[in-house]
Amino acid sequence: MKRLLYTAVLMAAAAGAFAPLQASAQVGVSVVVGSPPPPVRYEAAPPGRPGYVWAPGYWNWDGRRYIWIGGHWEARHAGRVYYAPVWRQGPRGWVLDRGGWRGGRPGHGGHHGGHHGGDRHHDGHR
């Protein structure tokens, strides 16, 4: 039985080595936490900076506890919109969407600058 399992795993790995690769592939890891993150810390967004977007701070999970990641400047990406990290309550607990740069146009679903989207820890809804 072990030999059959070993052979199946080896064949699956070999088949994956020959699969076509997508140039823009991204690996995503979902973090699910049982307790909600602490309230968002207030950070005054600094004055605008040409060619950059302010990425507000957020609570990250380090495997044991929440840690605050301070806001920072992100170089603007042409044709892309910056989405701020946001925690959402799911059926198994709290899930962090790490945000980042995504396709789209500002004002059409993007959460850039100091806006965090529809999450109760960011704008009082839900």
Side-chain angles (χ1 to χ4, degrees):
M1 185 65 167
K2 286 183 183 179
R3 187 173 186 182
L4 178 62
L5 181 59
Y6 176 75
T7 303
V9 169
L10 186 60
M11 288 176 62
F18 295 105
L21 298 176
Q22 186 178 2
S24 63
Q26 295 181 356
V27 175
V29 176
S30 292
V31 175
V32 180
V33 182
S35 61
V40 173
R41 291 182 179 175
Y42 173 75
E43 290 183 312
R49 188 171 163 193
Y52 289 83
V53 171
W54 178 250
Y58 68 99
W59 288 104
N60 193 24
W61 181 255
D62 75 354
R64 295 186 331 247
R65 63 188 174 93
Y66 288 101
I67 58 169
W68 181 254
I69 305 298
H72 63 278
W73 289 107
E74 287 275 339
R76 190 174 302 279
H77 294 234
R80 315 264 302 165
V81 177
Y82 180 77
Y83 285 77
V86 62
W87 284 93
R88 300 190 196 295
Q89 189 170 16
R92 296 183 305 135
W94 290 87
V95 180
L96 176 61
D97 173 353
R98 294 189 181 279
W101 292 97
R102 299 178 184 157
R105 297 179 304 188
H108 292 84
H111 305 296
H112 54 97
H115 181 67
H116 295 272
D119 176 88
R120 74 179 187 90
H121 286 283
H122 295 278
D123 62 8
H125 297 293
R126 260 199 266 174

